[in-house]
Amino acid sequence: MSPGLSPASPEMPPLRTLVSPGDATPGYSPLWEATRVLMLLSVLTAAGGLALGLSVVASAARRARARVAGITLLLAGLLALLGLAVYTAGTVSLLGPARTAWRFSWSYILGWVAVVLTSSAGLFHLCAAAKDPSPESSDVVGA
């Protein structure tokens, strides 16, 4: 069974894989591997954006750190979006056209919610950086 899918009926056809017949790893698909890599990069980037966002409070260069945190969180949202898109495309290519027997797991839906929330957090950081009136966060050095 593919990761993230639950069978709705026991009559589901066997999965087709996108590997050559001589591959040593049965069930391996480059699309699943791409999904893993993109989602892992998204999680690491989001953690970095969270750390940068929390460091805005303790830093003198608030505007620059808020901008970098916003860009990092937007990148995390984009990576998660790409990972979920590759997963969706991989599911269609491995299982065929959509059927009523398909049922995606809760983690798939949680991934799409995370894309929206992470991207929103990035946009909010960028808006906060643009509206920061504090003199210590000005872009002019020594003013």
Side-chain angles (χ1 to χ4, degrees), residues 24-138:
T25 310
Y28 170 81
S29 171
L31 293 174
W32 298 144
E33 194 63 31
T35 300
R36 282 188 202 117
V37 168
L38 287 168
M39 293 306 282
L40 181 63
L41 286 174
S42 173
V43 167
L44 293 174
T45 309
L50 178 66
L52 282 168
L54 292 175
S55 72
V56 168
V57 178
S59 171
R62 290 182 182 176
R63 185 178 294 173
R65 284 191 187 252
R67 229 183 261 140
V68 172
I71 292 169
T72 305
L73 288 169
L74 280 174
L75 179 64
L78 179 67
L79 288 170
L81 177 74
L82 288 174
L84 288 166
V86 167
Y87 178 79
T88 305
T91 301
V92 170
S93 70
L94 288 175
L95 297 178
R99 294 186 287 255
T100 57
W102 287 15
R103 198 179 80 199
F104 286 99
S105 181
W106 59 270
S107 57
Y108 181 77
I109 296 167
L110 188 63
W112 285 108
V113 170
V115 166
V116 172
L117 293 177
T118 306
S119 300
S120 299
L123 286 174
F124 291 150
H125 269 84
L126 289 175
C127 290
K131 297 199 179 260
D132 188 11
S134 61
E136 68 265 3
S137 67
S138 73

